[in-house]
Amino acid sequence: MGGGYAGFYTAWKLEKKLRPDEAEITIIDPRPYMTYQPFLPEVAAGSIEARHATVSLRSHLRRTTVLAATVTSIEHATKTVTVTPNEGADFTLGYDIIVVTAGAVTRTFPIPGLTEEAIGMKHVEEAVAIRDRLLTGFDRASALPPGPERSRLLTVTVVGGGFSGVEGFAELLSLATALLKSYPELRFSELSFHLVEANSRILPEVTDRPGAWVVRSLEERGAQIHLNSQLLSAEGGHVVLSSGEEFDSHLIVWTAGNAANPTVATHTDLPVDARGSVIVRADLQVGTDDAPVPDAWAAGDDAAVPDLAAPVAGARTVPNAQHAVRQGKRLAKNIAATIRGERTKDYVHHSLGVVATLGIGRGIFQYRGIVITGFIAWVMHRGYHVLAVPTWERKVRVLLVWLTAVLFGRDIVSLASVQHPRDAFVGGGVPRRAPGAALGVAPVERETADAR
């Protein structure tokens, strides 16, 4: 259940460890690919081609049945799941062993205008939409005289100061700064970039001093960092913060945390904790040492995995790619061992440190007390992730895109029109216009939530 990091790696490694006559493997996910989420900030900034941040399930899982569908309920007592396909009626599927790797979903709050105006950054489609919206804003602003509407089009707001938010924010700022060379009508002083974080610091995965350095680095590049601030409203693109600040923003990106997958949290008879995560033992079998659940396993963001490498008793592994990939590999080994009547092993992983990109040529790395910033950290970030992304085919494609960018720069073409592919066909080549727009004035269209 789920084709993300943990699910993909579990199936991929099971294909290599099990003979065809030992097991039939089925993976169920509404998307036909695994998204390598650490690349999404660079997809949003145009440093990586969108398709290269994904791995096709069908191309690489040759012995696995891939179902483009969603598991909407799990009844382990009867070993069945309810499957809702992307097209067609629901059906029930039986199994012998279930692996729950459905991941988490974007956490939202009942903030006015949030779901209508904001874009998340958890899927590659969202990263592409963010990039196109930023580029479209530049195109429209360049045709307008200085004023409120031009300022709105050049204003970007990112809510959430975790790794996803900070990396996405920094990459977008880097892209926007580079774009000014191609837009002589616009000035650097007109760019308005806002990072909103509810806590008193950003990047909770690093210690205080490196986190403060990141804030200073972003501010020196013209960013505005709003700490201890919450988003109160985003209606009509008008941002209202708890600090009392208000401004209009053409692009609003929401990265303020994850929530439990609703199927795992409320539609299963497997044991879950208060947060809606599946309770697992150290070897990734569902249950506890005293009450294990036979033939059920879980890993990744939807599992409460004991962190045996943590100094604090009872700690759980943090939900990131570093753990999910390694849990998937361990999970495959343990399932194969169980099928063959062998003993399983506990999942133990000591952190390799944290690394983040802050735009081209800028980054930060921390391993315990060792902190590296700047160009070297940025190279380390790219080196680590090109090694971590699965399959040599994807590694080569990403490297070639990076090399092309060094030689020719980023591609700054917006393809936002793909959200309305029939406009040229239906309208005879005439672009869509906002109702009441005057001739000769570029209309400001707001994409619908469905289009995003």
Side-chain angles (χ1 to χ4, degrees), residues 27-103:
I27 193 166
I28 305 174
D29 195 286
R31 289 176 170 81
Y33 53 80
M34 184 209 84
T35 300
Y36 191 72
Q37 292 181 357
F39 278 160
L40 293 185
E42 294 200 57
V43 171
S47 298
I48 291 179
E49 167 62 33
R51 287 183 175 85
H52 299 168
T54 65
V55 177
S56 170
L57 299 179
R58 291 183 179 272
S59 295
H60 299 285
L61 300 178
R62 302 298 178 85
R63 288 173 42 204
T64 299
T65 299
V66 178
L67 294 181
T70 302
V71 173
T72 52
S73 69
I74 305 170
E75 188 175 311
H76 192 62
T78 59
K79 290 192 174 180
T80 59
V81 293
T82 300
V83 179
T84 301
N86 294 343
E87 300 289 343
D90 294 3
F91 62 91
T92 299
L93 183 68
Y95 62 82
D96 298 302
I97 298 173
I98 188 168
V99 179
V100 183
T101 53

Side-chain angles (χ1 to χ4, degrees), residues 327-405:
Q327 288 171 9
K329 294 178 180 179
R330 169 48 53 195
L331 194 50
K333 293 177 182 177
N334 283 350
I335 292 173
T338 301
I339 290 175
R340 295 167 180 168
E342 301 170 358
R343 297 187 62 181
T344 62
K345 294 183 179 180
D346 291 342
Y347 170 76
V348 183
H349 173 63
H350 296 272
S351 175
L352 302 176
V354 293
V355 61
T357 176
L358 301 175
I360 291 182
R362 298 179 175 92
I364 183 169
F365 167 81
Q366 181 175 14
Y367 176 70
R368 298 181 180 177
I370 302 173
V371 178
I372 301 174
T373 60
F375 180 77
I376 295 177
W378 175 74
V379 172
M380 294 173 66
H381 174 273
R382 286 203 161 183
Y384 171 78
H385 284 299
V386 79
L387 291 174
V389 66
T391 80
W392 280 103
E393 174 254 350
R394 277 298 181 259
K395 299 178 196 294
V396 172
R397 288 183 185 272
V398 170
L399 284 172
L400 289 176
V401 171
W402 282 341
L403 178 60
T404 303

Side-chain angles (χ1 to χ4, degrees), residues 13 46 135 360 412 434:
K13 296 302 179 181
L135 294 174
I360 291 182
I412 62 171

Side-chain angles (χ1 to χ4, degrees), residues 202-222:
I202 61 174
L203 294 178
E205 295 88 347
V206 304
T207 53
D208 290 345
R209 291 184 63 184
W213 177 86
V214 173
V215 171
R216 292 195 304 272
S217 175
L218 293 173
E219 289 178 337
E220 289 170 359
R221 293 160 59 187

Side-chain angles (χ1 to χ4, degrees), residues 81-295:
V81 293
T82 300
V83 179
T84 301
N86 294 343
E87 300 289 343
D90 294 3
F91 62 91
T92 299
L93 183 68
Y95 62 82
D96 298 302
I97 298 173
I98 188 168
V99 179
V100 183
T101 53
V105 298
T106 301
R107 178 183 61 183
T108 59
F109 298 98
I111 299 173
L114 177 63
T115 56
E116 293 81 10
E117 298 293 335
I119 306 174
M121 196 187 287
K122 196 171 183 63
H123 302 289
V124 69
E125 302 93 336
E126 295 172 322
V128 172
I130 289 169
R131 176 177 180 270
D132 286 342
R133 193 166 177 83
L134 176 68
L135 294 174
T136 299
F138 268 70
D139 285 334
R140 293 175 176 174
S142 66
L144 295 175
E149 183 56 28
R150 179 156 147 168
S151 297
R152 184 187 74 84
L153 290 168
L154 298 176
T155 299
V156 174
T157 305
V158 176
V159 183
F163 259 86
S164 178
V166 171
E167 287 190 316
F169 180 80
E171 286 286 348
L172 290 173
L173 178 59
S174 177
L175 171 61
T177 304
L179 283 174
L180 293 174
K181 297 178 182 179
S182 301
Y183 290 86
E185 307 90 344
L186 307 177
R187 299 186 301 274
F188 175 78
S189 60
E190 294 182 279
L191 300 181
S192 184
F193 274 68
H194 301 264
L195 177 63
V196 181
E197 169 54 42
N199 296 312
S200 60
R201 49 164 297 180
I202 61 174
L203 294 178
E205 295 88 347
V206 304
T207 53
D208 290 345
R209 291 184 63 184
W213 177 86
V214 173
V215 171
R216 292 195 304 272
S217 175
L218 293 173
E219 289 178 337
E220 289 170 359
R221 293 160 59 187
Q224 300 182 53
I225 312 299
H226 305 270
L227 300 178
N228 297 309
S229 298
Q230 298 179 10
L231 178 66
L232 299 183
S233 176
E235 286 187 296
H238 183 70
V239 173
V240 180
L241 302 180
S242 59
S243 60
E245 297 171 273
E246 299 184 26
F247 49 87
D248 292 325
S249 183
H250 176 62
L251 173 59
I252 302 173
V253 182
W254 178 267
T255 66
N258 297 322
N261 186 293
T263 298
V264 176
T266 59
H267 298 286
T268 177
D269 56 356
L270 295 173
V272 298
D273 63 13
R275 297 182 178 181
S277 299
V278 181
I279 298 173
V280 299
R281 309 188 312 179
D283 65 354
L284 305 178
Q285 183 177 351
V286 174
T288 63
D289 292 336
D290 296 330
V293 179
D295 301 325

